[in-house]
Amino acid sequence: MARRKEATPAPAVPAGDRAAKPVRRGGGPGMGIGMAEKSKDFSGSARRLLGRLAPYRLTLGTILVLTIASVTLNVLGPKVLGQAVDKIFAGSVGALLPHGQSKAAVVAALRAHGENTRADMLAGMDVVPGVGINFDTVGRILLTVLALYVCAGVFQVIQARLLNNVVQRSMNTLRKDVEAKINKVPLSYLDGQPRGELLSRVTNDIDNIGQSMQQTLSQLLVNGLTVIGVIVMMFTISWWLTMVAMVAIPVVMVVTGQVMKRSQKLFVAQWGHTGRLNGQIEETFTGHDLVKVFGREREVEAEFDTTNEALADVSWRAQFVSGLVMPIMMFVGNLQYVVVCVLGGLQVANGSMSLGNVTAFVQYSRQFTQPLTQLASMVNLMQSGVASAERVFEVLDAPEQEPEGDAKLPPTRGAVEFDDVGFGYAPDTPLIQELSLRVEPGQTVAIVGPTGAGKTTLVNLLMRFYELDSGRILVDGVDIRTVPRGDLRSRIGMVLQDAWLFHGTIRENIAYGQLNATEDQIRAAARATFVDRFVHSLPEGYDTVIDEEGSGVSAGERQLITIARAFLADPAMLILDEATSSVDTRTEVMLQEAMAALRSDRTSFVIAHRLSTIRDADTILVMEDGRIVEQGDHSELLAAGGAYYRLYMSQFEGAMTEADPNALAPAP
Amino acid sequence: MLLKLVRKRLAPYGRLLLGLVVLQLINVGANLYLPTLNADIIDNGVSKGNTGYIWDTGGLMLGVTLVQAIGSIGAAFLGAKIAMSFGRDTRASIFRAVGRFSGREMGQFGAPSLITRSTNDVQQVQLLVLMGCTLMVTAPFMMVGGVIMALRQDAGLSWLVLLAVVVLGVSVGLIVRLMVPAFRLVQRRIDRVNRVMREHLSGVRVIRAFTREGYEQSRFDIATDDLTDVQLRVGRLMMLMFPLVFTVMNVSTIGVWWFGAHQVADGHIEIGSLSAYMTYLIQILMSVMMATFMFMMIPRASVAAERITDVVTTEASVRPPEHPVTPDRLRGIVELRRASMQYPGADEPVLRDVGLRAEPGQTVAIIGSTGSGKSTLLSLIARFFDTTSGAVLVDGVDVKELDPQQLWGHIGIVPQKAYLFSGTVASNLRYGNPDATESDLWEALEVAQARDFVQRMDGGLEAAITQGGTNVSGGQRQRLCIARALVARPRIYLFDDSFSALDLATDQRLRAALAPHVRESTVFIVAQRVSTIRTADSIIVLDDGVVVGQGTHDELLAECPEYQEIVASQHGADEEVA
Ligand SMILES: Nc1ncnc2c1ncn2[C@@H]1O[C@H](COP(=O)(O)OP(=O)(O)O)[C@@H](O)[C@H]1O
Ligand SMILES: Nc1ncnc2c1ncn2[C@@H]1O[C@H](COP(=O)(O)OP(=O)(O)O)[C@@H](O)[C@H]1O
Ligand SMILES: [Mg+2]
Ligand SMILES: [Mg+2]
């Protein structure tokens, strides 16, 4: 029937997969992550998650003690309250009986009238005929109960608060660990995956782990303890009935085991889809204008809808399958109840157990299945949390950059040597081969060549953004692989081809080059790099908040800010990678002066297409296809009449002639 | 806000909701019936040792349980379906709302916040809906049932029940109230965590180059710690709820026994009805406790709903007119009439009284210093922003009267910041024209001077491109962006400084190849190099948002001092202008 059909989740996962497929265009390097929809190691991840709580052992111990205390008080409460109820009951009965008679006499009188049941009842009560409810005693007992409950409540508050602290703090360190990890992975790892996917792990997944931990941990404790307590109580009454009642435990295990097996994959898929969706959203919002102007909205929406649908589908399956535990458990609980009643009834009938004991037992067995059901239904929350944890651990386990060396760089002179360097972004496609180069301290080296020649790659290697495949790079005679990356990079100021600003004021963005710079230094750097000029026209000046997307300033202005940053850093060596490509030429000419000052006495690498900016470089390298094809100063290279000559002449070749790739420019 | 959002988004699921209510009613009915059977088994079965009776009633009980199980399985089925559909629809509505936004609204919310709103915030409301589906029906019914039954006992203790309910209501309400502002902070700080991490990912090269990993870590730590701080604060409030409810429950049972005992002693009620009263009281309070579960979710969900509604109800500042003019096809005559533009929050306009006219086949070049408003001018033509005064006309029609979709369908843009989407070379090239054939793609690549390197890429057209295009060089990225615009075959081309990362030779070849390709279109080129634009039909010199010169290269060279300066800046003193 319908239930069976829906409850069979076997087709669920393939369906989710199918839905997700069109979303992945091609086989980008993004494949590495978030694709696996199978839980890798549920119990391992769960253990690891719990392991992260180890630093809070003491607090967790306190929580355990408090929970035991409050559970005990809560179990004790009804018992004590029962005494009060007995007293009230006895009092109300006693008040109706004739004054002055003894209880035995009343019982005997009743028996004489053949009212055996009432007689039995009376005999078992603490009645004094003619005496009503003793409010003193009742009051005292009730006050005790009140004290018990209030104490239990206070314990609960403290316990919950402590637990909240533990969970939130451990989520805090988890987030920090991910951030720290991002500083350790190679760039290729970060390039290779959608940003939004990673972001989802930090926000959505960690949020989910926190929420599910918070709910499961305390419930686990309370219900677990209650189950144990109740089992103990049941044993004191009848061990063999207890054994019968405990049959429920393996049933619970089988049921939850079955459900878990199915829902687990679904939860893993749910969070995987959430990440993927977040990735799509992030990318679409980032390229918002492009989506619109290229009329892509419909496709983008369709793509979004597919993932969104897949997410909704897998989420409801996960929810539904794990939601089956509760009703099934209730059924099992009731079944157990009936069985216990039947067996208990038989016991009463053949007189081997007292009625009171059987009823007490029956009551307990009810109390026993209820927390058990709770425990079983915690499983889905746990699974969801662990599925998220797994995704976070996946990031934490990503391979890291090669370890750092610990050699020291000598005090800077700025000699750089590339020694037979080989490198490729992909292992089997070498880009740079057998490249050797010597730069004397204080020299300015210009790198020119067509785009894609490997200019940026070359300086990236010097920055040790990537590891060499062969050869080595020496700075002042020291192999850069043997020194800590930070030491190397802090010597080099770099203006990258892609200007990057973060959400903050212009002042903060400039000060990024040197965190403890004074206001004067910041202004000086800003003036030298013409940032000051446009900042003046902004209503809020240096306090203008700009953001990563770059709204607020123009692209050229962004570049100027990044130059100001490097200017402020005042590094020992300098790399300018097409630093002024978006800046107009008049500003650029004026900037030259500042740049020349910045370069003097520092080893500098300058990549530029406007050759006028690099004419006075000490050495000009012409790169093509990852090789240095020419090397020399401006006049030497012009005289040589080779690649540089052609490049140089091409800038005066104004007329739009029909292009002939083989003859770049007219012969001299 | 929350209620409105939920009601609106749940409207299409009325039938399912109805089914859910029915199933839940069965569930509640069974729940109310089962205790009676329980007691019956003990009273008439167990205590009398009547196994036959136990079997019979037990069988009935199992039957009821079975019905209940089916009911609750059905309810779980529908509840999950409704909640997840709700989530899906809400996400889709946010996504579409953001799709309509213009640059202004994007800037106002910020992409990181919009991203959190689309996933995390939706999740909060979805969770509440899911909860609501299981409790919204059960809790009130159990409560109402309990209250009626309790009142029927008329134990003279109604005031006590009332008091307990009021105390609970007031204190839970108070806690909820306190939690709302705290959760507003929580969501805002999640935004911040998101933003800081996103910046770290996009700026990772700069961060490493400046060895600012430590600084970034501390920036992130602050963001995280701030988040944890409010979460702890809000947690402290939330954690009060359950103990509070439990204690009130327990205290009121004690109260019932105490006052009840007096009533019994005074002969007002029987001891039996006091016991019954007790049972119902517990039931009422249980339902209150269930409702508390919901109340715990409400603050965060209502904050999330508020944030979602903000996005969904924000009107895009650039929006399609109600009655758009829809010319059959646009030819691509672009005209600016005294167009001025001022960014929100800025003191002064960035463009003032700009006038120009361009026809198909013409190339208009725009040159000027950094920040003079060149990109802004192009974004007016593309209608990313609207003019604050004056007008932009295409084919004589004010762009505000055109359907933006139609306008955009005729525009191909190469933005200043070359951006590629993750996927393949082909998927990026086909971005504006999904039907382009492979030879179209190669042709565009040829023109964009990108054929060679694409051929050499691993997989050619199917080579992978990472988000933003980080796995190709800057110049290659620019050329792919150019090719992407070419594949779309628009009537109007907007090249925003699209040749800046190209070496001169490539730049030249590209322009040479481009000329015949765009012969039928109107072309706008923003450039820095005079060599790039000297053959343009018209060159516009912008300075500080004002057109200071307009004409051909030679005209400007003769009479426009700004232009002369620009030209001079590009040729050393010793070089003649060719
Ligand atoms: N992150 C990357 N992953 C893979 N390939 C890359 C990456 N960055 C650049 N490349 C490739 O390496 C070559 C050299 O690029 P680059 O050094 O950026 O050139 P340029 O000389 O223009 O600065 C290009 O063919 C480019 O496609
Ligand atoms: N989104 C924005 N919000 C506020 N001001 C902006 C925004 N974008 C650009 N500006 C300002 O407008 C001016 C012109 O920018 P833009 O048109 O990008 O110049 P460019 O001529 O360099 O392309 C700049 O001074 C910049 O500070
Ligand atoms: Mg480069
Ligand atoms: Mg610009």
Side-chain angles (χ1 to χ4, degrees), chain A residues 440-569:
Chain A
E440 299 302 325
Q443 275 196 333
T444 294
V445 179
I447 310 174
V448 300
T451 61
K455 307 181 291 294
T456 301
T457 307
L458 190 71
V459 293
N460 279 349
L461 293 179
L462 176 57
M463 290 297 276
R464 211 177 159 209
F465 282 159
Y466 300 93
E467 301 296 337
L468 301 183
D469 293 334
S470 64
R472 53 194 192 136
I473 298 174
L474 307 167
V475 169
D476 290 329
V478 179
D479 189 335
I480 58 169
R481 235 177 312 184
T482 61
V483 298
R485 290 186 177 82
D487 284 8
L488 170 72
R489 289 173 188 161
S490 58
R491 295 218 167 170
I492 308 176
M494 186 176 190
V495 180
L496 285 88
Q497 198 165 1
D498 300 307
W500 172 78
L501 303 178
F502 58 88
H503 180 96
T505 63
I506 293 184
R507 179 183 293 106
E508 284 165 354
N509 268 287
I510 297 175
Y512 202 73
Q514 196 195 332
L515 297 176
N516 47 13
T518 63
E519 182 71 22
D520 284 343
Q521 286 172 313
I522 293 174
R523 300 245 167 175
R527 264 194 300 276
T529 53
F530 295 89
V531 169
D532 196 59
R533 221 174 43 173
F534 72 83
V535 167
H536 265 308
S537 64
L538 297 171
E540 321 230 345
Y542 286 93
D543 294 317
T544 307
V545 175
I546 45 185
D547 69 24
E548 199 205 343
E549 273 77 45
S551 65
V553 283
S554 82
E557 290 165 349
R558 287 163 70 81
Q559 255 185 349
L560 292 178
I561 294 174
T562 61
I563 297 172
R565 206 185 257 169
F567 203 90
L568 186 65

Side-chain angles (χ1 to χ4, degrees), chain A residues 3 6 25 89 133 135 139 146 149 156-157 161 164-165 168 172 175-176 179-180 182-183 185 191 194-195 199 204 207 211 214 271 278 282-283 285-286 288 291-293 296-297 299 304-305 308-309 311 316 319-320 327 330 334-335 337 341-342 346 355 358-359 401 450-452 463 465-466 486 489 496 498 500 502-503 512-513 515 539 548-549 555-557 581-586 589 609 648 650-651 653 656-657, chain B residues 38 41-42 46-47 51 54 61-62 65 68 72-73 77 81 84 88 91 95-96 98-101 106 115 119-120 123 130 194-195 197-200 202-203 205 207-209 211-213 215-217 220-221 224-225 227-228 231-232 235-236 239 243 250 254 258 261-262 271 300 347 369-371 405 408 413 416 421-422 430-431 434 466-467 473 477 479 500-504 508 512 528 535 565-566 569-570 575:
Chain A
R3 188 177 108 228
E6 292 301 334
R25 286 161 287 181
F89 211 54
I133 301 169
F135 282 103
L146 187 69
Y149 282 148
Q156 269 176 20
V157 170
R161 195 174 274 205
N164 182 43
N165 283 2
Q168 295 304 346
N172 182 308
R175 278 194 294 265
K176 286 179 182 169
E179 163 77 13
I182 289 178
N183 284 324
V185 295
D191 286 345
R195 267 185 300 184
L199 289 175
N204 297 330
D207 205 20
Q211 279 185 352
Q214 187 124 37
W271 292 103
N278 209 54
E282 200 269 351
E283 193 167 8
F285 289 1
T286 307
H288 185 256
V291 172
K292 294 179 96 166
V293 88
R296 260 320 250 220
E297 273 160 318
E299 285 85 351
F304 171 88
D305 286 345
N308 195 15
E309 183 65 51
L311 171 61
W316 93 256
Q319 201 56 49
F320 172 62
M330 270 179 11
N334 281 320
L335 191 65
Y337 183 83
C341 281
V342 169
L346 286 175
L355 173 61
V358 171
T359 27
Q401 291 174 321
T451 61
M463 290 297 276
F465 282 159
Y466 300 93
R489 289 173 188 161
L496 285 88
D498 300 307
W500 172 78
F502 58 88
H503 180 96
Y512 202 73
L515 297 176
E548 199 205 343
E549 273 77 45
E557 290 165 349
S581 59
S582 304
V583 176
D584 71 285
T585 49
R586 277 186 298 172
V589 168
H609 290 306
Y648 189 74
S650 67
Q651 63 184 320
E653 177 56 34
M656 285 240 206
T657 48
Chain B
N38 268 344
I41 285 193
I42 294 183
V46 177
S47 58
T51 22
I54 296 179
M61 189 172 154
L62 283 185
T65 319
Q68 188 207 21
S72 45
I73 286 173
F77 183 96
K81 189 101 211 163
M84 299 312 167
R88 180 195 58 202
R91 278 191 298 268
F95 192 77
R96 282 170 170 71
V98 175
R100 285 189 295 272
F101 280 5
M106 286 308 278
I115 296 164
T119 51
N120 196 292
Q123 220 138 30
L130 187 65
N194 210 6
R195 194 191 67 222
M197 168 119 343
R198 182 162 175 263
E199 280 174 1
H200 188 166
S202 65
R205 284 176 171 77
I207 289 158
R208 291 191 181 183
T211 58
R212 289 286 175 265
E213 288 96 337
Y215 179 74
E216 285 304 313
Q217 180 90 47
F220 184 82
D221 287 357
T224 310
D225 288 343
L227 173 61
T228 304
Q231 272 174 335
L232 287 178
R236 278 199 279 275
M239 295 305 135
N250 287 330
I254 295 174
W258 174 251
H262 280 95
I271 183 93
R300 191 169 182 185
D347 271 355
S369 52
T370 301
Q405 303 286 349
W408 289 327
I413 194 168
Q416 193 162 16
F421 292 89
S422 59
R430 289 205 176 98
Y431 209 71
T466 54
Q467 185 179 3
S473 85
R477 201 181 315 151
R479 280 178 282 168
S500 63
L502 304 185
D503 58 285
L504 293 160
Q508 227 164 73
Q528 316 286 355
T535 54
E565 273 175 40
I566 293 170
S569 72
Q570 297 187 19
E575 270 129 20

Side-chain angles (χ1 to χ4, degrees), chain B residues 249-304:
Chain B
M249 249 168 88
N250 287 330
V251 169
S252 49
T253 40
I254 295 174
V256 168
W257 281 115
W258 174 251
F259 294 107
H262 280 95
Q263 301 271 352
V264 172
D266 297 350
H268 290 315
I269 54 169
E270 299 241 343
I271 183 93
S273 63
L274 185 59
S275 305
Y277 196 80
M278 226 34 243
T279 326
Y280 298 124
L281 180 69
I282 300 269
Q283 193 188 316
I284 295 169
L285 294 172
M286 280 301 270
S287 62
V288 172
M289 198 182 72
M290 280 192 335
T292 310
F293 262 120
M294 288 260 314
F295 280 113
M296 279 171 63
M297 308 263 139
I298 283 179
R300 191 169 182 185
S302 65
V303 168

Side-chain angles (χ1 to χ4, degrees), chain B residues 336-341 351-356 387-391:
Chain B
L336 268 72
R337 282 196 199 141
R338 296 181 63 87
S340 296
M341 150 82 193
L351 285 178
R352 257 171 307 202
D353 294 338
V354 175
L356 64 83
T387 51
T388 32
S389 72

Side-chain angles (χ1 to χ4, degrees), chain B residues 95-125:
Chain B
F95 192 77
R96 282 170 170 71
V98 175
R100 285 189 295 272
F101 280 5
S102 71
R104 191 177 296 233
E105 292 78 44
M106 286 308 278
Q108 175 192 329
F109 285 102
S113 179
L114 288 173
I115 296 164
T116 1
R117 287 171 206 235
S118 314
T119 51
N120 196 292
D121 284 281
V122 174
Q123 220 138 30
Q124 308 313 326
V125 189

